């Protein structure tokens, strides 16, 4: 009879969580956080391109066809998240956050050579697949490498960099879509080329990010995990400020699992072990995804159709919207670690929903100028961005480590699938009337309020707690370590 796999006692999670914030953590944030910046760059460029792609000098698409290209991108992100998350949980975080980045860069360059609607949609699908895979691999890696006391604020700030990418894309589009500088038939293609160039250097930087020691710990690779943690400690303690690192407190006993987790295991944990957490994740992810996909992909069409904003200057109008979204997670993020996840997520969701409803009404009755409408959008998404970032944080930290990437992908897939037609739907509403847009805003507002109520009732207290305390790893036999401080 075969001997059962051994139990291993280790303090790897405690050693990672007690580390002081250092240059090494900034490297992790910079190298992995680029995912959100790249995605923001993508969405911003395509949003600014939307009106240009309807011109006869480009691809001569209709508004609803522009919406379809956005839906193709979202479809790809769904497929990428599903496939690459499975591989990430089985084969490790590092391998797949490298491969998915390379896929994104290649597909972005190919998009620049699209010749019709079908080819554009296909290349956008591949680009989305790369980004979808990145979400699962990167969210897993960041949560497992960042100390518990800083996890919430760090995750929200990183997610907020999506909007720095958006602002960069907006500025690029102002130059590249100006027909007085670059022919319109060429400028939209250069947008994608420049977008890919910005991501190339990150491939080299990511080589220095190690595999997650926590992932290695649960896959029968304890010695490798111990070696990585020792090297991280050595690098941090080389700084005079951190020469004497605090002692880790406690340990965890794990039953090593060299084999990967199956889809059946994921389904069991989501729907049998943690059904309430699954319902919470679905509510948060679906509601924010619908509102964001609907508004972010289509509001340049509102500017050109209802405010006569020239297509070549759309990027300038994206800037206040982007910075409002960036400042929300940056300025509010710390309160998710101090006041608490439940209180802050409910507050940000509810506030964004109410502001969106009011904005829709004022737009329908003609009370806005382009300036006041931009201010309203910026105010809405200051709160919505913090809440949406916290939704991604929530689904990445409330399930066991062995299924983390697949859990993230599950919620991402369901959320994007539920919202996949939102850009097309809102594009049709924009084609119809301002009143139709108002009804669309009411729908988005109502969904955000639903998310706020669900979080208030079912939210999980995760602030300042080690991942192993929020949800014990499937391989854990017992946890004896002390909980991390909340601040």
């Amino acid at each position: 009879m075969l001997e059962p796999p051994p139990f291993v006692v280790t303090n790897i999670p405690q050693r990672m969580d007690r580390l002081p914030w250092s240059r090494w953590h900034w490297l992790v944030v910079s190298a992995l956080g680029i995912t959100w910046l790249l995605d923001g760059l993508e969405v911003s460029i395509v949003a600014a391109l939307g009106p240009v792609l309807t011109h006869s000098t480009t691809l001569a698409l209709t508004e609803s066809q522009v919406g379809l290209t956005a839906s193709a991108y979202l479809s790809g992100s769904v497929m990428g998240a599903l496939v690459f998350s499975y591989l990430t949980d089985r084969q490790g975080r590092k391998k797949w956050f490298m491969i998915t980045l390379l896929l994104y860069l290649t597909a972005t360059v190919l998009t620049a050579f699209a010749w019709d609607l079908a080819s554009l949609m296909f290349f956008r699908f591949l680009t989305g697949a790369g980004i979808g895979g990145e979400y699962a691999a990167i969210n897993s890696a960041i949560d497992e490498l960042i100390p518990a006391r800083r996890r919430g604020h760090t995750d929200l700030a990183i997610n907020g960099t999506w909007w720095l990418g958006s602002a960069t894309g907006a500025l690029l589009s102002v130059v590249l879509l100006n027909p007085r500088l670059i022919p319109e038939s060429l400028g939209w293609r250069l947008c994608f080329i420049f977008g890919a160039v910005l991501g190339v250097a990150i491939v080299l930087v990511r080589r220095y990010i190690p595999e997650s020691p926590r992932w290695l710990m649960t896959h029968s690779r304890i010695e490798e995990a111990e070696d990585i943690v020792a090297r991280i400690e050595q690098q941090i303690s080389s700084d005079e400020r951190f020469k004497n690192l605090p002692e880790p407190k406690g340990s965890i006993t794990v039953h090593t699992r060299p084999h990967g987790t199956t889809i059946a295991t994921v389904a069991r944990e989501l729907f049998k072990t943690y059904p309430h957490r699954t319902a919470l994740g679905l509510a948060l992810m679906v509601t924010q995804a619908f509102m964001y996909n609907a508004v972010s992909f289509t509001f340049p069409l509102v500017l050109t159709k209802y405010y006569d904003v020239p297509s070549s200057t759309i990027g300038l109008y994206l800037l206040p919207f982007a910075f409002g979204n960036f400042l929300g997670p940056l300025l509010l993020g710390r309160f998710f670690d101090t006041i608490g996840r439940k209180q802050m997520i409910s507050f940000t969701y509810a506030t964004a929903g109410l502001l969106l409803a009011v904005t829709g009404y004022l737009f329908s009755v003609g009370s806005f100028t382009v300036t006041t409408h931009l201010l309203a959008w910026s105010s809405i998404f200051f709160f919505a961005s913090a809440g949406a970032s916290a939704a991604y944080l929530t689904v990445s930290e409330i399930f066991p480590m062995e299924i983390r990437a697949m859990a993230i992908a599950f919620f991402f897939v369901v959320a994007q699938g539920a919202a996949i037609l939102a850009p097309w739907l809102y594009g049709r509403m924009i084609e119809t009337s301002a009143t139709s847009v108002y009804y669309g805003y009411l729908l988005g507002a109502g969904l955000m309020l639903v998310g706020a109520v669900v979080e208030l009732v079912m939210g999980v207290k995760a602030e300042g707690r080690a991942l192993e305390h929020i949800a014990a790893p499937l391989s854990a036999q017992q946890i004896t370590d002390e909980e991390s401080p909340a601040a």
Side-chain angles (χ1 to χ4, degrees):
M1 181 179 294
L2 293 175
E3 291 291 329
F7 295 110
V8 177
V9 179
T10 180
N11 62 356
I12 286 172
Q14 293 76 19
R15 289 168 68 185
M16 293 296 294
D17 279 344
R18 109 306 192 169
L19 292 174
W21 192 265
S22 65
R23 286 195 299 269
W24 184 83
H25 293 100
W26 281 115
L27 174 65
V28 171
V29 168
S30 301
L32 300 185
I34 192 67
T35 293
W36 286 265
L37 191 147
L38 291 175
D39 190 26
L41 182 73
E42 278 292 312
V43 173
S44 176
I45 286 177
V46 174
L49 279 175
V52 175
L53 293 178
T54 65
H55 298 172
S56 59
T57 53
T58 58
L59 297 180
L61 306 181
T62 65
E63 283 88 349
S64 55
Q65 287 176 328
V66 171
L68 281 176
T69 65
S71 294
Y73 177 80
L74 296 175
S75 299
S77 67
V78 165
M79 183 61 68
L82 191 63
V83 172
F84 293 123
S85 68
Y86 176 76
L87 296 169
T88 296
D89 273 339
R90 290 186 67 90
Q91 300 179 8
R93 314 317 191 196
K94 181 170 183 174
K95 175 179 180 179
W96 290 100
F97 67 56
M98 293 295 291
I99 292 174
T100 52
L101 178 59
L102 290 171
L103 173 60
Y104 159 79
L105 294 174
T106 302
T108 300
V109 172
L110 290 175
T111 305
F113 297 95
W115 57 90
D116 59 10
L117 175 62
S119 61
L120 182 63
M121 289 181 65
F122 177 67
F123 295 139
R124 295 301 294 156
F125 177 89
L126 292 180
T127 306
I131 288 294
E134 283 271 287
Y135 274 130
I138 297 305
N139 274 300
S140 301
I142 288 174
D143 276 0
E144 293 164 13
L145 294 173
I146 298 298
R149 66 187 181 279
R150 298 286 295 270
R151 188 174 60 246
H153 192 190
T154 302
D155 270 29
L156 263 70
I158 289 174
N159 276 278
T161 61
W162 193 98
W163 295 100
L164 287 183
S166 181
T168 302
L171 291 174
L172 274 175
S173 69
V174 169
V175 176
L176 298 177
L177 298 181
N178 186 340
R180 290 177 295 180
L181 299 176
I182 300 172
E184 197 171 62
S185 59
L186 177 63
W188 74 272
R189 299 182 187 276
L190 291 178
C191 284
F192 291 106
I193 296 292
F194 276 83
V197 168
L198 291 177
V200 170
I202 301 303
V203 175
L204 301 177
V205 176
R206 281 194 180 177
R207 293 165 48 202
Y208 298 101
I209 304 299
E211 180 57 85
S212 164
R214 283 175 152 113
W215 182 86
L216 292 168
M217 176 187 76
T218 60
H219 287 75
S220 194
R221 295 163 68 177
I222 297 293
E223 289 185 6
E224 188 177 346
E226 295 276 1
D227 180 63
I228 288 174
V229 175
R231 284 190 278 116
I232 294 171
E233 290 170 335
Q234 183 180 18
Q235 183 175 340
I236 293 175
S237 61
S238 65
D239 188 324
E240 280 296 322
R241 296 172 300 165
F242 311 126
K243 190 171 183 179
N244 298 311
L245 294 175
E247 289 297 319
K249 297 180 180 180
S251 62
I252 182 172
T253 304
V254 295
H255 183 183
T256 56
R257 299 164 61 92
H259 55 282
T261 303
T262 66
I263 299 297
T265 305
V266 178
R268 183 192 69 226
E269 293 300 309
L270 290 178
F271 297 105
K272 186 175 180 180
T273 307
Y274 297 104
H276 289 91
R277 294 186 179 190
T278 299
L280 170 68
L282 288 173
L284 294 180
M285 292 293 288
V286 169
T287 54
Q288 64 83 25
F290 185 91
M291 186 181 80
Y292 261 97
N293 290 346
V295 178
S296 295
F297 280 110
T298 59
F299 86 84
L301 297 175
V302 172
L303 294 176
T304 56
K305 183 177 180 66
Y306 293 99
Y307 296 108
D308 296 321
V309 172
S311 301
S312 60
T313 62
I314 285 291
L316 294 176
Y317 291 86
L318 290 171
L319 291 177
F321 180 73
F323 285 121
N325 275 276
F326 171 65
L327 290 176
L330 186 67
L331 299 180
L332 299 179
R334 68 192 65 190
F335 300 118
F336 289 79
D337 277 331
T338 55
I339 294 175
R341 306 280 203 265
K342 180 183 292 190
Q343 298 90 328
M344 288 302 299
I345 293 175
S346 297
F347 168 71
T348 51
Y349 267 60
T351 303
L354 292 173
L355 289 175
L356 182 61
V358 172
T359 296
Y361 171 75
L362 293 176
F363 173 65
S364 70
V365 298
S367 297
F368 277 136
T369 63
V370 65
T371 301
T372 54
H373 202 152
L374 283 172
L375 289 173
W377 270 328
S378 298
S379 300
I380 292 165
F381 286 92
F382 176 86
F383 296 100
S385 182
S389 297
Y392 280 98
L393 168 65
T394 297
V395 299
S396 70
E397 66 183 357
I398 62 175
F399 296 100
M401 186 181 313
E402 293 90 340
I403 68 165
R404 178 162 292 121
M406 283 187 279
I408 294 169
F410 168 76
F411 291 104
F412 181 78
V413 165
V414 173
Q416 297 294 60
I420 207 166
L421 292 179
W424 172 82
L425 175 63
Y426 276 64
R428 292 298 301 271
M429 290 176 176
I430 291 167
E431 289 175 345
T432 305
S433 67
T435 302
S436 295
V437 175
Y438 171 42
Y439 292 146
Y441 279 14
L442 280 181
L443 175 59
L447 290 173
M448 290 297 285
L449 291 174
V450 169
V453 172
V454 173
E455 173 65 30
L456 195 61
V457 174
M458 304 174 67
V460 177
K461 180 178 171 60
E463 57 273 11
R465 299 177 66 196
L467 293 171
E468 293 74 20
H469 277 283
I470 300 169
L474 301 180
S475 54
Q477 302 303 307
Q478 59 180 328
I479 297 177
T480 59
D481 55 313
E482 298 177 8
E483 295 210 14
S484 303

